[in-house]
Amino acid sequence: MSEARRAVMAADGVTISYSIFDGEDPAVVILHGLAGSGREFVPTAGALAPRKVILVDQRGHGFSTRAPADTTRAAFVEDVASVIRTESAGPVDLVGQSMGAHTAMLVAAAHPEMVGRLVLLEGNEGGGSSEDHAALGDYFRSWEVPFANREDARAALGDGPLARAWVADLEQREDGLYPRFDADVMVRTITEVAVPRWPEWESIVAPTLVVYADGGMFTDEQKSEFVRRGTNVSRADLAGASHDAHLDALEQWTAVLCDFLMSR
């Protein structure tokens, strides 16, 4: 695959970085989850060939501006809209995981002309408690950075699929390795995601696939209610997968994704 990294500047001066894998239109735009980056979805991009794929590092993540002042949902939405305007002459297929699924949902609601099909992996209308958010921030602040090398980082963070993604994405600086996100920015970001967005979800008319993992973060009741309140929704379930199913159930994930996006 041929990959190129590009960037756009948001109205508030934030730089939004993204990778493009050349291919056929309509493009597939993919949005990662909290504390992740587009890098996590490179294997997914490979499975989507020969389609054009755009992996966006959302604000505060990856190669995009690390500490944006504005972490509202509206800012995230307009960042993605700006990438789509820059890189596509028509509607794209929009895919998101977790926080990225929430962003993708809001983009489809705010800019229906931009989205041909929508795929939400382990996403919902919003939720979570302030206690959960505070605990997440405490966890990220507990990382004893800089890590001297990736072996030390693996020893500290573990060897699970998500930890491996974090380790692979660490930024090399003169004194060691650092995460490509800031703990306080992550807390501010997820606090915005917690606000329920039922009206936006119910307004989406694009054909939508909602994908859940049996070991994910949502209850059966939450899954059923979210799907029920959608307008044009189908559902797929992944077995033996976690909230980060794109990392630990890649073949299942890409199978349902490609089946939905290629069946036109």
Side-chain angles (χ1 to χ4, degrees):
M1 295 185 298
S2 173
E3 179 183 5
R5 182 161 288 278
R6 301 179 187 170
V8 296
M9 183 170 290
D12 62 351
V14 166
T15 297
I16 303 301
S17 180
Y18 54 95
S19 291
I20 294 187
F21 296 85
D22 285 336
E24 299 173 0
D25 289 324
V28 182
V29 177
I30 305 182
L31 309 178
H32 60 81
L34 187 80
S37 77
R39 182 188 178 109
E40 294 177 20
F41 284 91
V42 170
T44 298
L48 286 167
R51 292 286 294 278
K52 177 181 179 180
V53 180
I54 303 172
L55 306 181
V56 181
D57 286 351
Q58 296 175 84
R59 61 173 54 210
H61 297 77
F63 287 91
S64 294
T65 297
R66 190 70 45 83
D70 189 351
T71 55
T72 61
R73 295 279 73 207
F76 278 77
V77 166
E78 290 312 307
D79 292 342
V80 176
S82 181
V83 172
I84 294 172
R85 289 190 195 100
T86 301
E87 298 295 343
S88 180
V92 302
D93 290 337
L94 186 57
V95 179
Q97 183 260 343
S98 192
M99 178 203 75
H102 195 265
T103 306
M105 174 186 75
L106 296 181
V107 171
H111 299 284
E113 76 286 355
M114 291 187 173
V115 181
R117 295 195 179 197
L118 178 66
V119 181
L120 308 179
L121 172 60
E122 280 285 300
N124 74 343
E125 77 286 351
S129 68
S130 57
E131 292 81 6
D132 290 339
H133 303 155
L136 185 66
D138 290 343
Y139 169 65
F140 289 141
R141 293 185 200 97
S142 75
W143 293 12
E144 295 184 2
V145 295
F147 299 113
N149 51 53
R150 296 191 194 276
E151 289 72 24
D152 284 356
R154 278 190 289 271
L157 302 180
D159 195 41
L162 182 57
R164 288 198 296 270
W166 278 331
V167 170
D169 209 28
L170 291 169
E171 177 185 27
Q172 181 71 60
R173 302 182 193 172
E174 288 186 4
D175 58 340
L177 295 164
Y178 289 81
R180 293 188 186 274
F181 57 84
D182 175 83
D184 292 340
V185 172
M186 294 302 96
V187 173
R188 285 168 31 219
T189 298
I190 200 63
T191 299
E192 295 280 345
V193 175
V195 179
R197 300 289 189 138
W198 285 116
E200 289 90 340
W201 169 235
E202 292 169 347
S203 75
I204 294 170
V205 296
T208 300
L209 175 66
V210 175
V211 184
Y212 288 117
D214 59 359
M217 66 181 293
F218 302 110
T219 66
D220 289 340
E221 292 75 15
Q222 287 174 313
K223 297 174 186 178
S224 297
E225 178 73 356
F226 187 66
V227 172
R228 183 186 69 80
R229 292 178 67 165
T231 300
N232 188 9
V233 181
S234 56
R235 173 176 168 177
D237 292 272
L238 308 181
S242 75
H243 183 64
D244 300 289
H246 61 295
L247 299 175
D248 62 21
L250 178 66
E251 289 187 6
Q252 284 188 78
W253 155 240
T254 54
V256 299
L257 176 66
C258 291
D259 183 63
F260 180 71
L261 295 185
M262 307 304 186
S263 61
R264 293 187 178 274

